[in-house]
Amino acid sequence: MLFTKASEYALLSLIFLSHSNSPKDVDTMSNELQISKSFLAKILQNLAKEGILNSFKGANGGFVLADKPSNISIRRILESAEKRKAYVFECSNDRSDCPSNKGNICKMWPMFNTLQRKVDDFLDDITLADIIKK
């Protein structure tokens, strides 16, 4: 499944943070967005590890965007939140890496591979800024 709760909460969190220049802590964001604090903290840590967010410790600590929203693609957000590639199907970009070991005889692979490339391109072309504008 391409979008899970982790993806949804990552996007909501980044939209929330895009409206602030100062760090926001997990407690504030959890209350404001009505998301479990522990789950949100895990998602934010993943986004920070991937360089989408900067995190600050201490009394005035929290999270801020590490870059302009126009430089953060939706694909990067999804893959950072999920800690895996944004696959539409359990299919590989390369027949030799087929999860079912049947890539060399698979008749569906060309269609799945074409669809995956289109989804990847689409998610790369949409940025956080595009979502914020709407």
Side-chain angles (χ1 to χ4, degrees):
M1 185 168 156
L2 186 58
F3 293 99
T4 67
K5 286 291 182 192
S7 296
E8 178 186 348
Y9 294 166
L11 288 168
L12 289 172
S13 300
L14 294 174
I15 292 166
F16 179 81
L17 289 170
S18 73
H19 297 295
S20 177
N21 292 326
S22 61
K24 297 295 181 193
D25 62 80
V26 176
D27 284 332
T28 300
M29 293 177 65
S30 173
N31 289 332
E32 192 74 28
L33 298 171
Q34 299 180 352
I35 299 172
S36 158
K37 181 181 170 183
S38 59
F39 190 40
L40 180 60
K42 182 179 175 182
I43 293 166
L44 296 175
Q45 289 167 358
N46 288 343
L47 296 174
K49 284 179 189 173
E50 295 299 322
I52 294 172
L53 294 176
N54 288 328
S55 64
F56 301 96
K57 295 182 180 187
N60 295 321
F63 295 90
V64 295
L65 294 179
D67 205 347
K68 294 185 275 187
S70 60
N71 293 335
I72 305 171
S73 77
I74 298 307
R75 180 177 172 194
R76 183 172 171 213
I77 295 167
L78 298 178
E79 290 180 354
S80 296
E82 301 290 341
K83 296 176 68 174
R84 62 180 171 84
K85 284 195 55 66
Y87 287 122
V88 177
F89 300 97
E90 286 189 29
C91 201
S92 170
N93 290 338
D94 185 344
R95 283 181 190 250
S96 64
D97 290 334
C98 177
S100 66
N101 296 319
K102 295 177 183 165
N104 59 338
I105 61 168
C106 183
K107 301 297 182 193
M108 298 175 293
W109 183 84
M111 178 198 58
F112 287 160
N113 192 44
T114 300
L115 177 60
Q116 185 66 55
R117 282 195 320 268
K118 288 181 182 204
V119 169
D120 290 347
D121 291 345
F122 179 75
L123 294 174
D124 280 335
D125 288 343
I126 301 172
T127 66
L128 182 58
D130 295 324
I131 291 178
I132 293 167
K133 287 181 205 172
K134 298 194 186 259

